[in-house]
Amino acid sequence: MKIIDLSSEYETLYFQCLEDWSEEIREAGDHRARWYEKYRSRGLRAKLALDDSGTVGGMIQYLPIEHAFAAGRNLYMILCIWVHGYKQGRGNFQKQGMGKALLSAAEADAKERGAKGMAAWGILLPFWMKASWFKKQGYSKADRDSIRVLLWKKFTEDATPPSWIRRKKVPAPCPGTVTVTCFKNGWCPVQNLAFERAQKACAELGDAVIFREVDTSDRETFLEWGIADGLFINGKEMGIGPPPSYQKIKKQIMKQLKKL
Ligand SMILES: CC(C)(COP(=O)(O)OP(=O)(O)OC[C@H]1O[C@@H](n2cnc3c(N)ncnc32)[C@H](O)[C@@H]1OP(=O)(O)O)[C@@H](O)C(=O)NCCC(=O)NCCS
């Protein structure tokens, strides 16, 4: 196995989170590619893990925390680490050491670039990006917001811990309409998929439904709201987790339309 920097030949695969077999990933549009172009100049780094036959099985992406959705100084933050675990497509590469190798390569790279530590996020549930996995790799809790845990590992004694940037407000409903507001940073296909589905549902439901996009790749906009990604219907958030189906989003909007 070897770890390499993301190169142009693998960009499309990276935009698809290695899930080139997935219809849903295709439905998520080109937001990730556009995000990548924007964030490269902000110091975004990405690495891939290749097995002995040269097949890509894992990826990690991280960037200076000053451009991420947490507050901190002189740290890098991991947006996500993903070792392909599905049977489909390239198959399951988990538990063969790729995750550990990706993390340690990212840490070495961040150190070389002068970072004083690495931050990461995880959730307190036993699936998705598990906070417990980072703890096992030597990370400790710096902050918590509901089930989202912010973890970090310091490289130098004078490093200061990161903290969450918390929600400052939620979108206000607009009387006489159903307002669907989608906060989108672009980094995560799951949120990009929710965006695409919500936009499509709104376009089909007529003039009483207003679709609003909040582009949180603009730092000022993100700081104004304290929300990087999220979908709100009349000010009420559709929960975090797997992306809601198109039918579910449409049903929720129609429910609100009936109340007008
Ligand atoms: C967490 C993850 C990165 C680990 O990668 P991996 O290649 O499977 O792990 P490794 O083989 O390098 O193992 C590293 C350690 O983690 C442990 N580990 C691996 N998978 C684990 C799991 N599912 N639960 C608990 N521990 C696990 C291994 O036992 C090993 O422990 P050790 O340090 O004591 O030897 C990978 O399982 C993954 O991608 N999970 C999904 C994360 C996710 O949802 N990412 C998307 C975010 S947008």
Side-chain angles (χ1 to χ4, degrees):
M1 185 231 303
K2 65 175 177 180
I3 307 295
I4 61 164
D5 283 330
L6 175 66
S7 57
S8 51
E9 73 180 292
Y10 294 118
E11 275 175 8
T12 304
L13 187 62
Y14 160 75
F15 298 153
Q16 297 169 325
C17 290
L18 317 184
E19 293 173 33
D20 42 351
W21 50 270
S22 161
E23 285 298 325
E24 281 204 317
I25 286 284
R26 268 188 282 282
E27 207 188 321
D30 66 349
H31 305 283
R32 172 74 169 268
R34 289 193 278 123
W35 165 84
Y36 177 68
E37 277 313 313
K38 198 181 249 185
Y39 275 75
R40 275 168 88 157
S41 59
R42 300 182 189 179
L44 172 70
R45 306 277 304 152
K47 290 185 183 291
L48 304 173
L50 279 64
D51 72 3
D52 292 341
S53 71
T55 306
V56 179
M59 55 176 265
I60 188 166
Q61 46 181 351
Y62 49 101
L63 79 177
I65 198 165
E66 291 79 359
H67 297 294
F69 38 83
R73 277 188 304 124
N74 299 321
L75 307 173
Y76 269 69
M77 178 160 178
I78 297 169
L79 291 177
C80 80
I81 177 166
W82 167 232
V83 175
H84 194 269
Y86 298 111
K87 280 192 201 136
Q88 296 101 318
R90 56 205 53 248
N92 186 353
F93 288 83
Q94 294 188 358
K95 300 195 179 179
Q96 296 169 32
M98 278 189 173
K100 242 175 153 168
L102 283 163
L103 185 61
S104 102
E107 288 172 359
D109 184 36
K111 264 183 209 166
E112 227 171 77
R113 286 164 196 277
K116 294 186 174 186
M118 186 67 105
W121 67 277
I123 59 171
L124 282 174
L125 299 175
F127 51 84
W128 198 239
M129 277 243 310
K130 294 186 289 185
S132 61
W133 187 77
F134 286 105
K135 279 194 179 151
K136 208 171 162 192
Q137 307 308 317
Y139 283 66
S140 49
K141 187 180 95 178
D143 198 2
R144 186 179 152 184
D145 186 10
S146 176
I147 57 164
R148 295 190 317 149
V149 184
L150 183 63
L151 303 113
W152 80 310
K153 185 192 228 180
K154 60 179 174 179
F155 303 152
T156 62
E157 274 315 306
D158 63 342
T160 49
S163 57
W164 279 124
I165 293 170
R166 287 179 163 74
R167 184 170 295 186
K168 302 204 170 86
K169 55 181 182 177
V170 293
C174 181
T177 69
V178 177
T179 309
V180 177
T181 311
C182 192
F183 293 81
K184 180 181 58 66
N185 174 266
W187 77 273
C188 179
V190 168
Q191 196 56 38
N192 298 341
L193 186 57
F195 175 92
E196 288 292 322
R197 288 174 175 170
Q199 191 177 39
K200 186 171 160 223
C202 290
E204 283 175 8
L205 288 170
D207 292 344
V209 180
I210 295 171
F211 181 76
R212 279 203 315 179
E213 173 184 357
V214 183
D215 177 6
T216 58
S217 68
D218 175 73
R219 188 76 183 164
E220 290 303 312
T221 305
F222 164 61
L223 292 175
E224 178 194 336
W225 293 89
I227 302 171
D229 287 296
L231 181 62
F232 293 77
I233 299 176
N234 273 355
K236 192 165 177 285
E237 186 168 21
M238 286 195 80
I240 52 172
S245 69
Y246 171 71
Q247 290 307 336
K248 188 173 175 189
I249 295 173
K250 195 167 174 181
K251 208 168 138 191
Q252 292 288 332
I253 300 172
M254 285 166 66
K255 209 166 136 189
Q256 295 302 319
L257 264 177
K258 282 192 193 134
K259 290 186 192 166
L260 288 182

